[in-house]
Amino acid sequence: MRDKIIFSLSILWVIALSVSLTIFLAIPLFGLEISWYHLTEIAQMNAAQLWHNFLALMNYLVNPFVNQLKMPDFPSSASGLKHFAEVKQLFMLAFALVLALLPALILFVKENLLMIFHNALRVVMIFPLAMGLVAWLIGFDRFFVAFHEVLFRDNSWLFDPATDPIINVLPEQFFMHTFLIFVVIYELVFFWLYRRGSLFTKNK
């Protein structure tokens, strides 16, 4: 039972780490998307100004000491602010889990539980790939909606461009790319764990 708990907590740690790294990699990604999708034309502002507003948003979302969202050139409705506050809570939870569950991962590796759960690791690696397949089959837009309906209890995530114009410069492709980044990180971490377990098995 103890080993299963450690394994489960290690899985949760990998998910939290993958989410956390994806969040920070989304920052340079947005810089690329500005030119890829001509976001300056959509926002009617130059790239530096748009970048400054996005950094203000991300600083609010990732900085636990920033309690108020204020983007210089993008107004936000009460509903929009509520949604961003909920997103911030999820981000803080992911960051906290990375730190809190690190001892479980260390035990998982140190006690050679990789050998015991070697086959289980292969199964766990399939999950995000299956999610990606579902997203491809039903369309990322429908997958995106379903994802938000699971995570959020109300419809505050449905932004009205008239009151929350920031949504105009956060295209669907941006979220699709962040999802792909998450999958890649998740798979790489579990592949490393799986390979490490394979080496333990061979040397046993």
Side-chain angles (χ1 to χ4, degrees):
M1 177 61 72
R2 174 182 176 274
D3 291 348
K4 290 181 179 179
I5 292 175
I6 293 175
F7 176 58
S8 299
L9 293 178
S10 297
I11 293 174
L12 190 56
W13 181 86
V14 174
I15 294 173
L17 177 70
S18 301
V19 169
S20 299
L21 292 178
T22 299
I23 290 168
F24 288 102
L25 288 174
I27 298 175
L29 172 65
F30 183 78
L32 297 173
E33 307 243 338
I34 289 176
S35 58
W36 290 348
Y37 299 107
H38 311 290
L39 299 183
T40 53
E41 297 176 13
I42 296 173
Q44 293 297 301
M45 62 181 68
N46 61 48
Q49 192 176 1
L50 181 55
W51 179 248
H52 179 65
N53 281 269
F54 180 74
L55 288 182
L57 171 61
M58 292 304 295
N59 185 49
Y60 166 75
L61 293 176
V62 304
N63 191 336
F65 302 107
V66 177
N67 298 316
Q68 184 177 5
L69 172 59
K70 189 173 182 180
M71 292 175 283
D73 303 293
F74 289 98
S76 298
S77 67
S79 177
L81 290 174
K82 179 177 181 294
H83 175 65
F84 281 129
E86 291 174 343
V87 172
K88 182 184 178 75
Q89 290 176 354
L90 291 175
F91 283 10
M92 293 300 108
L93 176 61
F95 299 158
L97 288 176
V98 171
L99 297 176
L101 298 180
L102 183 58
L105 180 80
I106 293 173
L107 283 175
F108 184 68
V109 175
K110 190 174 181 180
E111 296 186 5
N112 294 340
L113 298 181
L114 293 164
M115 291 189 296
I116 299 175
F117 294 98
H118 193 237
N119 291 330
L121 286 172
R122 286 189 292 185
V123 175
V124 172
M125 290 172 68
I126 295 174
F127 289 160
L129 299 178
M131 290 175 60
L133 178 61
V134 170
W136 180 73
L137 290 174
I138 68 175
F140 186 78
D141 54 342
R142 293 178 63 185
F143 176 81
F144 183 77
V145 169
F147 175 79
H148 278 71
E149 288 177 342
V150 170
L151 280 183
F152 303 104
R153 291 175 291 180
D154 56 26
N155 292 326
S156 62
W157 60 273
L158 292 171
F159 281 16
D160 181 351
T163 56
D164 292 285
I166 186 66
I167 195 62
N168 291 324
V169 294
L170 296 174
E172 180 182 301
Q173 293 91 335
F174 173 71
F175 295 104
M176 181 175 65
H177 293 155
T178 56
F179 173 72
L180 291 174
I181 290 172
F182 166 80
V183 171
V184 170
I185 295 172
Y186 178 98
E187 292 296 328
L188 285 175
V189 175
F190 270 115
F191 180 73
W192 174 77
L193 290 172
Y194 180 78
R195 287 290 298 167
R196 190 177 177 89
S198 297
L199 292 175
F200 280 139
T201 303
K202 289 179 181 179
N203 295 330
K204 186 176 178 182

